Amino acid sequence: EVQLVQSGAEVKKPGESLKISCKASGYRFTSYWIAWVRQMPGKGLEWMGIIYPGDSDTRYSPSFQGQVTISADKSISTAYLQWSSLKASDTAMYYCARHPGLPDYWGQGTLVTV
Amino acid sequence: DIQMTQSPSSLSASVGDRVTITCRASQGIRNDLAWYQQKPGKAPKRLIYAASSLQSGVPSRFSGSGSGTEFTLTISSLQPEDFATYYCLHHNSYPRTFGGGTKVEIK
């Protein structure tokens, strides 16, 4: 069974750094892209970017390029989304999803409050 | 980037109604469009991909159509569990982009 389990909710201050995680199981982690999707409070879904864990190739939406970093550790089947300096506007729910061209299986979401 | 415009942004309907949601792409995307359902506090769930292919396990009352720039999601007979927000997503090029969403509420 494909599962994506995300790390728990975070409360941070502006200017702090943060790295949230998404642990995959039930499939070959290195063979599928993983996406990150943002949902700000009461708003719609925003596609942030993707990573291919097999070679760490990444593609970002221009809206998020330079604002976040997507990475992966294939040894532990885990993808990451990180910020070097959080802003209040980063407050949102963040979802990871397996992404064979488009999202299919989703994590439960990580709420980040800044 | 390709922009996806959904309409309406919200609608009220009754159980048993036929509901249609439209998504328009800012340029042609062939049939590279998916539809997702999201309930409050939950992750999205894929209903349709490639414009009209029904995801395994999704009830047949859901259907998708369209190609190029105009797409529709139809719920043939709305059920209580269908009250949710629906999003389109193009999967034609990068970056992928979602539509703004359509909230389906109980009349």
Side-chain angles (χ1 to χ4, degrees), chain B residues 29-104:
Chain B
I29 58 169
R30 302 180 303 186
N31 68 336
D32 298 332
L33 187 101
W35 290 97
Y36 292 83
Q37 176 194 66
Q38 187 181 33
K39 296 182 179 179
K42 299 293 187 183
K45 171 187 172 183
R46 193 169 74 182
L47 302 176
I48 302 278
Y49 61 95
S52 59
S53 295
L54 194 67
Q55 182 71 30
S56 176
V58 172
S60 59
R61 63 181 179 273
F62 291 94
S63 64
S65 64
S67 67
T69 60
E70 297 278 339
F71 302 87
T72 59
L73 173 70
T74 300
I75 309 172
S76 60
S77 178
L78 198 66
Q79 298 302 301
E81 60 269 30
D82 301 337
F83 292 96
T85 301
Y86 294 84
Y87 295 92
C88 62
L89 169 78
H90 87 80
H91 51 99
N92 178 263
S93 60
Y94 290 108
R96 307 303 199 225
T97 47
F98 288 94
T102 297
K103 187 173 184 179
V104 177

Side-chain angles (χ1 to χ4, degrees), chain A residues 3 6-7 12-13 25 71 83 95 99:
Chain A
Q3 283 196 311
Q6 297 185 229
S7 49
K12 307 292 281 187
K13 291 180 167 50
S25 61
S71 60
W83 296 259
Y95 293 100
H99 195 279

Side-chain angles (χ1 to χ4, degrees), chain A:
Chain A
E1 178 193 8
V2 174
Q3 283 196 311
L4 297 167
V5 178
Q6 297 185 229
S7 49
E10 301 273 2
V11 180
K12 307 292 281 187
K13 291 180 167 50
E16 292 186 331
S17 62
L18 177 64
K19 192 173 188 177
I20 62 175
S21 66
C22 169
K23 182 167 178 60
S25 61
Y27 71 97
R28 187 185 298 270
F29 181 66
T30 52
S31 296
Y32 291 82
W33 295 81
I34 291 275
W36 287 95
V37 174
R38 182 175 80 174
Q39 188 165 40
M40 299 176 77
K43 302 298 184 183
L45 303 171
E46 299 174 89
W47 190 92
M48 301 175 72
I50 53 174
I51 186 164
Y52 190 73
D55 61 6
S56 292
D57 187 16
T58 54
R59 303 184 189 185
Y60 292 91
S61 166
S63 299
F64 293 94
Q65 180 85 47
Q67 308 304 306
V68 296
T69 301
I70 295 172
S71 60
D73 184 341
K74 58 187 178 184
S75 70
I76 55 171
S77 300
T78 300
Y80 301 97
L81 179 66
Q82 69 180 92
W83 296 259
S84 58
S85 181
L86 287 159
K87 302 185 284 287
S89 58
D90 292 317
T91 294
M93 181 71 81
Y94 293 89
Y95 293 100
C96 66
R98 197 177 71 163
H99 195 279
L102 70 167
D104 57 4
Y105 292 91
W106 294 69
Q108 82 277 19
T110 295
L111 180 62
V112 173
T113 304
V114 183

